[in-house]
Amino acid sequence: MDNRVTWQVEHYPTLPSTNDYCIEQARLKSKINLAVLTDSQTAPRGSRGRKWVEPTGNLALSFLYWPTFSVKKVGWVPFIASLALYDAITELCGDYPDLYIKWPNDLLFQNKKIAGILIESHVEYPDILEWLVIGIGLNICSAPVVEGREVACLRDFVHTNLPSSLLVSSKIRERLSYWIGCLDQGKELFIRETWLQRSLPMDTSLSVTSSKKIYTGIYKGINKEGFLLLQTETGLKHLSAGELFCLDQYGNK
């Protein structure tokens, strides 16, 4: 049985924020699964309230999804979103050994960020997951200058047949629909195993800021709940949230 999601696609020359537009539609109770693409955002947002700079020619795409799964599964949404993006890039551009997902949902090429995902949701009391918004920003043609961050774009390593934002958007819609179907069907183990195959190499040295504490250790994957496993000097940590940085051989970010 094919229960993949059908998206209503909207494409605008400019929007303040594709995520904000989707949230507005959700609050208007527009019970339609939307995929919203814009050529330019005037007020894009990143995770943890950061401002996001978006050069022209890159991807700004958000989804409004009315879930059929329970709030207990919402923790897997970052994983299926990053898998959809990873799948889209590799299917359109080919496989690259230095392309990884950084927990839970950033994409890195040679430890440089090429894409980020911002997920927002609304839960009706006490535990009904009403809607989800999944925002995806991908550097296709150029990488913004971000202080203290190494950033890359697809053009840095895809030298022929660089896909357009329209083509990438179409492929992400297809793959996100597939991964939502997997989550609906209770295939969290399959999602976890596939995500681990695409994540950072095991035993990568990491620094993780979580609950205002900084942990340094070795990456050991994720557990069955999607928590980050970090082997530290004081034992194995299970982290449910945090900001992660890869460290070089000298312990530098």
Side-chain angles (χ1 to χ4, degrees), residues 12-25:
Y12 298 95
T14 184
L15 281 174
S17 161
T18 53
N19 259 39
D20 286 348
Y21 176 84
C22 285
I23 291 172
E24 179 184 357
Q25 297 307 304

Side-chain angles (χ1 to χ4, degrees), residues 58-73:
N58 291 338
L59 177 74
L61 172 67
S62 291
F63 295 90
L64 168 60
Y65 177 61
W66 299 89
T68 53
F69 50 79
S70 73
V71 70
K72 295 179 180 179
K73 295 189 176 187

Side-chain angles (χ1 to χ4, degrees), residues 19 45-48 50 52 59 61-63 76-87 89 101-107 113-120 133-138 172 176 195:
N19 259 39
R45 294 187 288 114
S47 62
R48 296 178 175 85
R50 293 190 184 96
W52 179 254
L59 177 74
L61 172 67
S62 291
F63 295 90
W76 288 103
V77 174
F79 299 95
I80 64 172
S82 58
L83 282 171
L85 178 55
Y86 186 101
D87 288 351
I89 292 173
I101 304 174
K102 185 185 78 171
W103 179 82
N105 56 19
D106 284 347
L107 255 67
K113 184 174 178 177
I114 65 167
I117 297 173
L118 176 61
I119 296 170
E120 300 175 275
V133 170
I134 303 169
I136 299 175
L138 170 65
I172 293 173
L176 183 60
W195 186 92

